[in-house]
Structures are given as C-alpha cells and as structure tokens.
Amino acid sequence: MADSPTSPTVRATLSVLVVGGGTSGNALTVLLRRAGIAVDLVEASPDWKASAGSGITLQGNALRVLREVGVLEGIEKDGYAAEGVAVLAPDGTVLHAHEELRTGGDDLPSHIGMQRPRLQQLLIEQVRASGADVRLGTTVTAFQQDGQGVDVTFSDGTSRRYDLVAGADGLHSATRAMIGITDTPEPTGMGIWRAPAPRPAGVRRTEMIYGGRCFIAGYCPTSEDTVYTYLVERARDRASLNPDAYADEMRALAEGYGGAWEELRTAFTDPKVVNYAWFDRHLVEGPWHRGRVVLVGDAAHACPPTFAQGAAMSLEDVQVLAELLTARHAWDAESLDRLLTEYHARRLPRVRMVVDASVQLAQWLLDGVRDADVPGLMFRTLTALKELP
C-alpha cells in the first residue's frame, strides 16, 4: 500500500527547524514530531525560559490547542479554572459578575489561570518526550535558501539544512528581520506591572477594577495557592525606572484599592519577581513567509492583553500550520509556497480582529471614553473565536 500523506515513513524524510522555545515554538515542535517530521528546536535562553513570567490566562481556544499538544491534564491539575469574571469598584465592591463565553467549546473551561513557569515546564516535558533535537543557548546567525531547502548557520559555528524554518522567536523576532520583513511592534501608550502573589482566601475568579490610580487593577488565580496580579497605567520611560524599586512601585500603585488588594499589595516585596512592560500592537499584514522560512506567533502578531488572547492566537497559528504541513507531503517550492500562503490567509482575518479589538479597548481607556461599548465588543469578538480557526 502506498504511504498516506501523513504516514511517518513519508514524514521522516522531512525536516523543520523551530527557532524559539516558548509556548508556540514548543507546541509546534510537539505537533510536527507527532506526525513523524524531524524537528530541531533552538532556543537562545540557556535555561529554556524555565523561570520566565509570573502568570498567564489561558482562554478556551488556547486550551483547545493545548489539549491537542497533550498538556491539558497537567494544566487542569496545576492551574486554576476560575469561576467567571467580576468587575469591582476601587473599594472592592462587586459591580458586575458573569460567566465567560467558552471559546474552546462547551467541554472546556472558559479560562484557566496558570503560573507561566509551570506551563513552560509542561511543554518542555512534551518536547523532550517527542524526540526533537533541542539546543539551548543557541541562535541562528544566517539563512541561505534555494528551491530545495534552507541552509542555517548557528551561533556555535555549526550549520544544518532543513526543508522548512519556523520563526517562533517572539515579539522582537530576529528571524523576521533576517528574512527582510520590516514590520516592528508599536507601543500603544500603556504599561503593565505584573507579579505573582499568594491567593487571598475567597478569590476564586478573575477580578478587575477599572479606575482609581490605574486604568486596570486585576488578578487571576493561577493555582490553589497563587494569583497573577497586574496593574495597568500610562506608559512610562522604561529607562527611568530602577529595577531595584519595582516592588515599591507596584505596591504604591496598589494603594487605595480595597477588597483583596489590601492583602495582595503586602506581598510585593521582591523586585526580582515584578515585571514591567509596555503594551504593543504588532501585525504583519503581508505574507508571513519568505521562501521556506515562516513566522509563527508573536513574531507575526501581538496585541495588548486586554482580551487575554495573545497566547491563544499564537497557539492557533501552531494548530493551523501543523495541520497544513502534516496533511500534505509535497514540499517542493511551489507547493510549499501555496501551503504557507494558505496559512496566512486563514490566520490573518482572525488575528487582525483580535489585535484591533484589543487595541480598541486599550485606547478607550487611554481616552477616558465613558460610554464605550465594551461589553458589545467583547461579546462579538469572543463569539467569533468559538469558531474553529
């Protein structure tokens, strides 16, 4: 019998380099290896970003992909399936509480809060188990393409040849620049302070305050014992901020908020676990590939976390790209170009919708618009995301 398009014996002759070992790069590696494709993964960080980040909100459409990757059971065990969302007054009074739309389907929670390092560890375990060749502390220094493949030179002086390179190396992607895509992230005018903290008794859902000293003061349970806290303000000059004073800055911004914040702000004592970053808008409108090098996740798009859809959009990229790559074993130059063009065509409208909506929510806050149709925009966007990508 002839090999089917997804047969491992066919796939074993194909090779992919994944650049970047974050959420999207790890997930793509696992899905491609499962189909029998040979995958090398290189990650610039020598510790594989094992301790990076404080928390993450995984919406249902992100969980849908992570189930396919094989880490949902661990996420459900170590994360926290929040009991809806509430909007509070600055003094902690509940103004409105509601269940969220289940963007991943009725068989998945609306969202799960997770300690980001734990999510990364679950993905690392899956990559290791997949048999992929992983090289840490390694970057790409050059690509040389022809019609049949890509010759890649690495920072350790070695070189290898691949059928395809996937750049999953984040917002400031070196891969994107190396293939001549000039689009770069643009700041939206907001900055966010983030830190983990012990979970106060009684906090069982995501809760957000709009107003007070910050545009948003929020927290999301990330385990039985922890929460992920965040304070959103007008962007500051990052060069003027002293990293040693990050905990003091976050504690000062939390002053005046009631409810759980009275307990939470006392936990901000270690500046090393506090992160400050700007909100950025980024979307490569044109093709996401050049020849046999393609962009995935934040390398192609990013948005403010006002919808908590950044990771979900990146994971959906992975799902669609893996589906297309593993369904067709013809990777000659013409066929691969059609495949990568189809990937872009399927992803761009959905990603643009989320980026534009996320930026719009942030802009309404910046402009102090009091009659903005926030519920309507959120409902329309999340309803659309229930559809498969």
Side-chain angles (χ1 to χ4, degrees), residues 127-304:
V127 172
R128 293 290 193 196
S130 77
D133 184 349
V134 177
R135 302 165 70 186
L136 303 179
T138 305
T139 60
V140 172
T141 58
F143 297 119
Q144 188 68 43
Q145 298 196 55
D146 56 41
Q148 287 72 50
V150 188
D151 293 308
V152 182
T153 303
F154 299 99
S155 55
D156 60 6
T158 62
S159 61
R160 295 185 188 178
R161 185 171 176 82
Y162 300 92
D163 295 294
L164 178 72
V165 175
D169 49 344
L171 186 63
H172 302 289
S173 169
T175 303
R176 183 178 67 233
M178 289 171 67
I179 61 175
I181 296 178
T182 58
D183 304 71
T184 55
E186 299 176 359
T188 66
M190 280 184 168
I192 183 169
W193 297 87
R194 293 178 278 208
R199 183 171 71 89
V203 171
R204 301 184 182 89
R205 61 191 175 189
T206 292
E207 296 182 338
M208 293 176 286
I209 296 170
Y210 291 89
R213 301 187 67 173
C214 299
F215 293 115
I216 308 172
Y219 45 82
C220 171
T222 52
S223 73
E224 288 295 330
D225 304 315
T226 60
V227 294
Y228 157 51
T229 66
Y230 48 92
L231 296 161
V232 180
E233 60 169 0
R234 198 171 296 274
R236 305 191 207 180
D237 178 6
R238 286 174 288 195
S240 69
L241 295 171
N242 176 8
D244 292 335
Y246 273 18
D248 298 335
E249 293 281 358
M250 194 162 179
R251 195 166 53 250
L253 283 172
E255 287 290 341
Y257 290 118
W261 280 105
E262 295 178 1
E263 180 178 342
L264 288 171
R265 63 174 165 265
T266 65
F268 305 143
T269 58
D270 182 0
K272 294 184 178 61
V273 302
V274 177
N275 171 264
Y276 178 75
W278 283 359
F279 282 3
D280 289 303
R281 181 195 190 280
H282 174 51
L283 178 60
V284 178
E285 291 276 1
W288 292 357
H289 74 286
R290 296 292 187 272
R292 291 176 174 269
V293 182
V294 63
L295 302 180
V296 177
D298 287 355
H301 53 79
C303 56

Side-chain angles (χ1 to χ4, degrees), residues 300-367:
H301 53 79
C303 56
T306 45
F307 270 90
Q309 275 289 317
M313 288 298 98
S314 295
L315 286 164
E316 285 189 359
D317 286 356
V318 166
Q319 184 180 42
V320 171
L321 182 59
E323 172 197 317
L324 292 170
L325 290 173
T326 58
R328 306 173 194 177
H329 66 272
W331 283 17
D332 59 89
E334 184 177 346
S335 298
L336 190 60
D337 183 73
R338 285 198 301 267
L339 183 154
L340 298 178
T341 299
E342 181 179 347
Y343 158 65
H344 175 258
R346 281 179 58 177
R347 294 301 299 142
L348 184 62
R350 190 171 170 105
V351 170
R352 185 192 291 119
M353 174 189 68
V354 170
V355 171
D356 288 349
S358 300
V359 172
Q360 180 64 80
L361 285 181
Q363 193 62 49
W364 279 335
L365 291 170
L366 278 167
D367 295 341

Side-chain angles (χ1 to χ4, degrees), residues 93-158:
T93 302
V94 177
L95 301 176
H96 177 70
H98 64 276
E99 292 295 319
E100 290 181 292
L101 286 171
R102 295 180 177 242
T103 55
D106 293 339
D107 59 337
L108 287 169
S110 57
H111 78 262
I112 293 179
M114 186 82 182
Q115 295 178 66
R116 189 178 281 270
R118 181 55 186 148
L119 173 63
Q120 176 70 352
Q121 189 57 48
L122 290 171
L123 290 167
I124 286 172
E125 290 168 4
Q126 286 294 104
V127 172
R128 293 290 193 196
S130 77
D133 184 349
V134 177
R135 302 165 70 186
L136 303 179
T138 305
T139 60
V140 172
T141 58
F143 297 119
Q144 188 68 43
Q145 298 196 55
D146 56 41
Q148 287 72 50
V150 188
D151 293 308
V152 182
T153 303
F154 299 99
S155 55
D156 60 6
T158 62

